[in-house]
Amino acid sequence: MTQHVTDALPTDASSAASGRREWWRDAVIYQVYPRSFADGNGDGMGDLPGVRARLPYLKELGVDAVWLSPFYASPQADAGYDVADYRAVDPMFGNLTDADDLVRDAHGLGLRVIVDLVPNHCSDQHEWFKQALREGPGSPIRERFHFRPGKGESGELPPNDWESIFGGPAWTRVEDGEWYLHLFAPEQPDFNWDHPAVHDEFRSILRFWLDLGIDGFRIDVAHGLVKAAGLPDIGHDEQVKLLGTEAVPYFDQDGVHEIYRSWRRILDEYTGNETGPEGPSLEGRGRETGGRIAVAEAWTPTVERSALYLRPDELHQAFNFSYLTTGWNAADLREVIDRSLGAMNAVHAPATWVLSNHDVVRHSTRLAEGDEARGLRRARAATLLMLALPGSAYLYQGEELGLPEVVDLPDEVRQDPAFFRSAGQDGTRDGCRVPLPWSGEAAPFGFGPVEGGPSWLPQPASWKNLTVEAQEGDPTSTLEFYRSALAVRREHPALGAGRQVTWLPTPDGVLAFRRDSAEGSFVCTVNLTAAPVPFPTPGTLLLAGADVEPGTETTELPADSTVWWAV
């Protein structure tokens, strides 16, 4: 498989790109899952020193920012999404000095840093929760969580019928007879956002990390903080619509928006102060800063509901899960692209595009339909389509290597808490979290500093052909394909931020759209069928993820492929 890159870019593209404002409107943001990215000390677990050592790789890849999944002090009941101390780094990952060094090194390379924030729930080892248990019923600190008496003659039944996302009841009973709410694992009690102390605490946490120099927050379960008044029963049938067409009383309540308005005011205080009151300025990328940002992980029924989180006085971006969950179908993709752009334009926010993350099956496997070669071909095509759309794009670590989902992990090595519960999610998130292969012929493929050392999840032997070392410099590799795509996206003036695409006439199963700027125009063609399709040649070939021979008048678009053209 060959990819093509030409010099058809306008000569003034670099200056056009460098004049862009508000970096987040067209940023390519790379998700690092720290325990699986790089191991700095050889204990088999990725850590912050490991991430720091690999930052030059991310700069060369061509991304704008790094988003780090949680590295806070945690018992790790849910891979760090159960936070015991929001101002401390878990010793598994390093310490605060390591975090500070990482941020400074990233800024020196022109990379911004976004960290996860988990405000819906904490760990049952959080000091507040431990104090609430010690002090018992009637304690004021219990009001910072959702403690309730149970139903039934002796309170033996949960306070309501809510179900955990991980399966089973969303309530756990403690020794004194009261129950507490946890929408996820029992080790993750939900905060009560009706309590002012919770608001005060998280405003303080925001400032702590902003002062350290981070450039933004990815807000976990952003749609879940506020629950319906009175915590009413729902009914099982209603709860199974969680990601369907209807809202439920524990997600996407209107009260969350006032929380984010207060956070936005804090973020705006730091605009133009890229690394905190005492830190150095961000260097390297040549764009205006655009301030600090917040990104919502908000699973809402529609993109229009997601857009409500992005009104001008609220958050900056929201993940586009509607796009992620759309299949390999031309009509469906066109519809979700139009709806996404329309919804975001209505609130003057950028659209975002994402194909994989730490909670879903990698898209190279998801699109494969049982054929690994077809999956990689479609994954490359899907990536080029995503990077051609107006707005900001998110990459998940390892997709630039073409990594497939690891579907055959033995039960005894799995660590996803949902795997051990009888209902809820399938519990197979470990398959996308297997540590990255960097170099060598045998596991752990350079993940840690010790040859043949440990790895918290086992890597397939076949990954020896997918390491960074194996792909680097190979013009046919997925890694070099990503580097080329990100370079072209950065340089072409019609790519990146924008509000719309102009759809072009196409045969069934093909998408084509045009994007225009004062310095040049661009066309993206996508053949989503299993056979080559002839198409009028739109311009000069820029980049393709499959072999293509441009014709003077007509070009045969390869099956399952995307081609970029300069016009």
Side-chain angles (χ1 to χ4, degrees):
M1 185 181 294
T2 304
Q3 55 223 29
H4 302 264
V5 184
T6 75
D7 58 359
L9 292 171
T11 56
D12 60 347
S14 295
S15 60
S18 65
R20 296 170 181 157
R21 299 176 61 87
E22 295 183 323
W23 64 272
W24 44 275
R25 288 189 174 273
D26 65 349
V28 177
I29 300 172
Y30 184 100
Q31 182 188 357
V32 165
Y33 192 69
R35 63 170 56 203
S36 297
F37 188 68
D39 172 14
N41 62 10
D43 65 356
M45 187 69 66
D47 48 37
L48 296 186
V51 176
R52 182 186 176 199
R54 298 291 187 176
L55 289 174
Y57 165 79
L58 297 179
K59 174 183 171 61
E60 187 173 358
L61 182 62
V63 300
D64 298 290
V66 180
W67 153 35
L68 297 165
S69 292
F71 51 78
Y72 307 109
S74 166
Q76 304 296 321
D78 183 24
Y81 283 94
D82 50 317
V83 181
D85 187 342
Y86 289 86
R87 298 176 182 82
V89 174
D90 194 284
M92 172 190 302
F93 299 119
N95 53 45
L96 275 175
T97 298
D98 294 320
D100 185 68
D101 289 341
L102 189 157
V103 170
R104 290 175 180 272
D105 282 7
H107 286 171
L109 291 169
L111 297 169
R112 293 174 173 87
V113 179
I114 296 169
V115 299
D116 244 299
L117 187 65
V118 188
N120 179 71
H121 49 263
C122 62
S123 166
D124 61 357
Q125 299 304 303
H126 190 284
E127 283 302 320
W128 282 7
F129 192 75
K130 291 196 295 183
Q131 182 180 348
L133 293 182
R134 288 194 305 268
E135 294 184 0
S139 167
I141 203 165
R142 284 203 173 189
E143 298 174 6
R144 301 179 187 186
F145 301 93
H146 294 279
F147 278 90
R148 297 288 187 277
K151 293 181 178 179
E153 290 186 8
S154 58
E156 73 278 8
L157 299 176
N160 68 21
D161 65 355
W162 293 5
E163 298 173 11
S164 164
I165 307 305
F166 286 168
W171 295 89
T172 290
R173 197 177 193 187
V174 300
E175 291 183 0
D176 55 48
E178 286 198 330
W179 298 72
Y180 69 89
L181 177 69
H182 54 86
L183 293 183
F184 294 88
E187 298 87 353
Q188 296 169 290
D190 279 41
F191 286 113
N192 176 13
W193 276 88
D194 290 333
H195 198 289
V198 177
H199 290 258
D200 291 343
E201 172 67 358
F202 274 89
R203 284 192 289 261
S204 174
I205 292 167
L206 289 175
R207 292 185 184 280
F208 178 87
W209 290 102
L210 290 167
D211 288 342
L212 186 133
I214 67 96
D215 301 284
F217 301 91
R218 176 264 191 187
I219 303 170
D220 185 62
V221 196
H223 55 304
L225 278 57
V226 173
K227 280 70 174 175
L231 307 184
D233 285 337
I234 305 171
H236 175 75
D237 290 344
E238 188 71 12
Q239 293 187 69
V240 299
K241 298 176 183 178
L242 188 61
L243 299 180
T245 59
E246 312 230 356
V248 291
Y250 48 78
F251 278 165
D252 195 29
Q253 298 293 302
D254 288 339
V256 299
H257 298 291
E258 187 53 45
I259 297 170
Y260 299 135
R261 290 186 187 101
S262 72
W263 290 11
R264 179 60 179 262
R265 290 192 288 271
I266 293 173
L267 292 166
D268 286 349
E269 291 177 23
Y270 288 78
T271 297
N273 184 9
E274 202 65 17
T275 60
E278 304 301 330
S281 298
L282 186 74
E283 300 174 358
R285 292 293 182 166
R287 303 185 184 192
E288 296 195 24
T289 65
R292 316 296 183 87
I293 72 165
V295 183
E297 184 216 23
W299 288 89
T300 63
T302 64
V303 292
E304 289 79 11
R305 288 292 300 182
S306 295
L308 297 180
Y309 291 74
L310 308 179
R311 287 172 285 197
D313 61 344
E314 293 192 42
L315 306 179
H316 299 77
Q317 292 184 349
F319 289 121
N320 191 342
F321 294 119
S322 296
Y323 184 75
L324 184 151
T325 55
T326 300
W328 191 243
N329 177 278
D332 292 346
L333 282 167
R334 177 167 174 169
E335 179 183 10
V336 75
I337 290 167
D338 282 341
R339 287 191 64 189
S340 300
L341 291 172
M344 298 305 127
N345 286 340
V347 292
H348 306 286
T352 66
W353 316 99
V354 61
L355 294 167
S356 287
N357 64 36
H358 66 293
D359 282 334
V360 301
V361 173
R362 287 186 177 274
H363 65 278
S364 60
T365 297
R366 205 171 63 242
L367 300 175
E369 298 179 359
D371 183 330
E372 188 170 315
R374 175 170 55 199
L376 181 58
R377 188 168 65 246
R378 287 180 173 179
R380 290 161 66 115
T383 296
L384 274 193
L385 168 59
M386 175 181 75
L387 293 175
L389 293 169
S392 179
Y394 283 78
L395 309 180
Y396 177 54
Q397 64 177 41
E399 69 174 81
E400 78 278 10
L401 303 177
L403 297 186
E405 186 83 0
V406 182
V407 297
D408 56 354
L409 286 169
D411 288 357
E412 60 269 20
V413 305
R414 291 191 178 275
Q415 300 193 31
D416 183 352
F419 180 78
F420 302 99
R421 300 176 70 85
S422 59
Q425 295 180 349
D426 291 336
T428 55
R429 295 179 298 174
D430 291 319
C432 64
R433 300 176 178 182
V434 173
L436 295 195
W438 292 93
S439 61
E441 296 291 316
F445 300 115
F447 173 62
V450 180
E451 185 176 351
S455 171
W456 75 279
L457 284 173
Q459 302 150 306
S462 60
W463 279 15
K464 69 179 183 181
N465 300 317
L466 300 177
T467 66
V468 173
E469 181 182 60
Q471 297 194 45
E472 209 147 32
D474 177 357
T476 68
S477 72
T478 303
L479 174 59
E480 295 299 344
F481 166 72
Y482 266 72
R483 287 174 174 172
S484 297
L486 293 174
V488 174
R489 185 184 187 275
R490 176 173 296 281
E491 294 300 322
H492 199 289
L495 288 173
R499 297 173 58 87
Q500 65 182 18
V501 299
T502 300
W503 294 104
L504 304 177
T506 59
D508 289 343
V510 175
L511 294 176
F513 59 84
R514 179 178 177 127
R515 298 186 60 189
D516 298 297
S517 76
E519 294 83 13
S521 298
F522 165 91
V523 167
C524 176
T525 57
V526 190
N527 178 8
L528 294 100
T529 74
V533 175
F535 191 80
T537 303
T540 303
L541 177 65
L542 269 178
L543 179 65
D547 289 329
V548 61
E549 294 296 333
T552 304
E553 296 184 358
T554 301
T555 296
E556 194 169 75
L557 304 177
D560 293 322
S561 72
T562 298
V563 185
W564 287 359
W565 309 86
V567 180

